[in-house]
Amino acid sequence: MTARDEAFLEAAAFVGRRLCRDALWSGERCNWLGDSMEYIDGGWNVVHRSLASDLYGGTSGIALFLARLYRLTAEPALRTTALGALAHAHAHAEKMPAAQRIGLYTGSAGIAYATAVAGEAFADQALIDKACDMLVAATQSDDDTVLDVLAGAAGAIVALIDLQHLARRDLLAIARRLGELLLARARRGEGGWSWGSHAGHAEHNLTGFSHGAAGVAWALLELSTATGESHFRDAAERGFAYERQWFSKTHENWPDFRADLPSAASQPGFMVAWCHGAPGIGLSRLRAFELTGDPTTRAEAEAAMRTTMRTLSDPNYGSQFDFTLCHGRAGNAELFVTAAEVLGDQTARAVADGVGRYGIETYRRKDLPWPCGVLGGGETPNLMLGLAGIGHFYLRLYDPANVPSVLIPRPRRVAELRSMVVLPPSPPSSAPLR
């Protein structure tokens, strides 16, 4: 076991105290101001505004970070501010359109997840019960359901599995229903299975973790592990196969098929981030290897690590100036934190630690603004594009065994679930696996 580096906890605590200091209060609720991108007058523009409620860019994501930091520091202000952030999120969750609630990062399912994290951190059963009620309510409708990890059924499946051990109801049966929905709506081709995404695509469905086949396949593999039902694993393997056919040996990466990219008209580009490209796909393969022992998925993870390492070695490479989770250095370094956990690879752990120390030396100790993920914007407080996510990265570096990743939240106590819930037999698929 690697000794904890107190500098990492200090960096996380510094961010947490800043967030507590900068919170704007109204009664029992709090919020923050920050930069974000909004589509105004026919184009994307940086705006400075109050945060929404979601996990990705809103107050519930900040609450999740503060709650996990509280477990390690027990500073009362962290608990108070996390509860204020959740109070804001809960009030706004009820106003979300039904079709958007299922999202783990963008909907009320993610607010429920953050609420459960806080409930455990604060030993508050009422919060845990509220979280489970919210998650059930968020996953009731299949009408126009988005399918991906970021905003759809795949992300909700993993939250349902993870919170099953806390719930007084059958969350796993809901996860199974959503899994069947993913199977029913898969595009089944000779090369593998893929899923449409609201993110938009041209000729091909997307690769990648947040919106593409890697994330959906990962969720199905988690579901197979939790339920013992092999047809979900079969579908996951078809999803990985879809991406495998597009793998570029030259780039050691998977193409980004989004239709709105400048390169899409001629040939696809290759992104290196959690959301699209090698780091997120590598995370899915590390988890697949952990669950199945399949050497092919390990080899793919190692290819993703080599590609990601090349970008981390150059702070001026594209978005690597950004230090955040979604498409910055901290998010890319998570691949190496996870590799150290799954593979016992201390060289990978040294890579992640090096990114953390670089951030401390470059920004923390010089008291400079942290570069955040809003292009053309300044510091912003949220989880995936801002300070809360940077703080969470330092918690992962400090105590990875007890601070789960927010980029690939691996369900806990999966081995216990099969005996907790009795599921009905699977209906026959509408088409054979191929």
Side-chain angles (χ1 to χ4, degrees):
M1 179 178 177
T2 304
R4 293 176 176 178
D5 188 332
E6 296 298 323
F8 294 148
L9 181 59
E10 191 280 332
F14 176 79
V15 172
R17 293 179 193 122
R18 277 196 56 191
L19 291 169
C20 291
R21 180 199 70 188
D22 294 343
L24 303 173
W25 287 86
S26 176
E28 295 182 350
R29 304 178 192 177
C30 69
N31 200 342
W32 289 261
L33 296 176
D35 288 343
S36 65
M37 297 293 291
E38 291 193 3
Y39 197 75
I40 302 171
D41 295 331
W44 289 100
N45 295 274
V46 177
V47 298
H48 194 70
R49 51 156 293 173
S50 61
L51 303 188
S53 57
D54 57 281
L55 194 70
Y56 186 98
T59 58
S60 62
I62 295 176
L64 182 148
F65 162 60
L66 295 178
R68 285 181 171 163
L69 180 59
Y70 174 82
R71 293 191 76 164
L72 292 170
T73 65
E75 294 185 23
L78 299 171
R79 182 180 186 278
T80 300
T81 309
L83 291 173
L86 286 176
H88 171 269
H90 294 159
H92 287 264
E94 299 171 359
K95 303 173 185 177
M96 283 187 180
Q100 297 178 15
R101 293 177 184 175
I102 196 171
L104 177 59
Y105 292 89
T106 62
S108 55
I111 298 172
Y113 188 79
T115 302
V117 168
E120 288 190 281
F122 307 149
D124 187 331
Q125 186 62 47
L127 275 181
I128 292 172
D129 292 342
K130 183 177 182 66
C132 294
D133 290 344
M134 289 180 66
L135 189 55
V136 170
T139 52
Q140 288 308 296
S141 175
D142 290 344
D143 296 336
D144 300 319
T145 297
V146 177
L147 304 179
D148 62 27
V149 164
L150 194 83
I157 284 170
V158 177
L160 288 159
I161 297 170
D162 193 23
L163 301 191
Q164 175 64 71
H165 75 283
L166 297 174
R168 298 172 179 174
R169 64 183 74 194
D170 191 350
L171 300 185
L172 198 56
I174 303 173
R176 183 182 182 277
R177 173 177 59 78
L178 293 177
E180 297 292 351
L181 176 67
L182 292 178
L183 268 58
R185 291 176 58 181
R187 181 190 292 178
R188 305 184 181 199
E190 291 294 336
W193 291 13
S194 62
W195 290 265
S197 169
H198 76 292
H201 51 82
E203 180 181 356
H204 307 295
N205 280 344
L206 299 184
T207 65
F209 194 85
S210 67
H211 295 296
V216 177
W218 159 65
L220 289 168
L221 188 57
E222 296 286 4
L223 185 58
S224 176
T225 303
T227 64
E229 297 190 33
S230 61
H231 67 303
F232 293 127
R233 175 171 172 172
D234 293 340
E237 290 173 349
R238 284 8 180 230
F240 293 145
Y242 172 77
E243 292 187 329
R244 194 167 296 134
Q245 69 180 328
W246 299 114
F247 179 73
S248 167
K249 293 182 180 179
T250 301
H251 298 88
E252 286 197 300
N253 203 346
W254 295 259
D256 187 349
F257 290 128
R258 283 177 292 169
D260 58 354
L261 297 179
S263 61
S266 54
Q267 59 183 3
F270 294 86
M271 191 168 176
V272 185
W274 168 79
C275 47
H276 299 278
I281 292 174
L283 286 172
S284 76
R285 301 314 197 265
L286 284 172
R287 181 58 171 164
F289 177 72
E290 184 177 26
L291 293 176
T292 69
D294 179 1
T296 301
T297 58
R298 175 169 182 160
E300 291 175 331
E302 290 171 342
M305 290 166 65
R306 289 191 294 271
T307 295
T308 306
M309 183 66 220
R310 287 192 288 272
T311 67
L312 289 175
S313 299
D314 181 4
N316 298 314
Y317 178 90
S319 65
Q320 294 311 290
F321 177 70
D322 163 5
F323 211 82
T324 58
L325 292 181
C326 183
H327 44 249
R329 290 176 69 81
N332 286 2
E334 173 60 40
L335 177 62
F336 297 90
V337 179
T338 300
E341 292 179 284
V342 173
L343 306 178
D345 185 343
Q346 293 308 305
T347 300
R349 176 61 204 236
V351 170
D353 285 355
V355 172
R357 294 192 182 100
Y358 169 84
I360 291 171
E361 293 296 330
T362 305
Y363 306 109
R364 168 70 184 97
R365 290 183 179 164
K366 296 178 181 178
D367 198 25
L368 295 175
W370 290 92
C372 290
V374 178
L375 184 63
E379 282 190 337
T380 196
N382 66 53
L383 183 67
M384 295 299 289
L385 298 177
L387 296 174
I390 294 170
H392 196 280
F393 167 62
Y394 280 104
L395 289 185
R396 284 283 289 156
L397 292 180
Y398 178 71
D399 190 7
N402 295 301
V403 178
S405 173
V406 293
L407 299 184
I408 184 164
R410 291 177 284 176
R412 298 158 290 175
R413 307 183 189 181
V414 167
E416 303 172 13
L417 294 180
R418 296 183 197 177
S419 62
M420 293 174 62
V421 180
V422 178
L423 297 171
S426 302
S429 300
S430 58
L433 295 175
R434 17 183 341 185

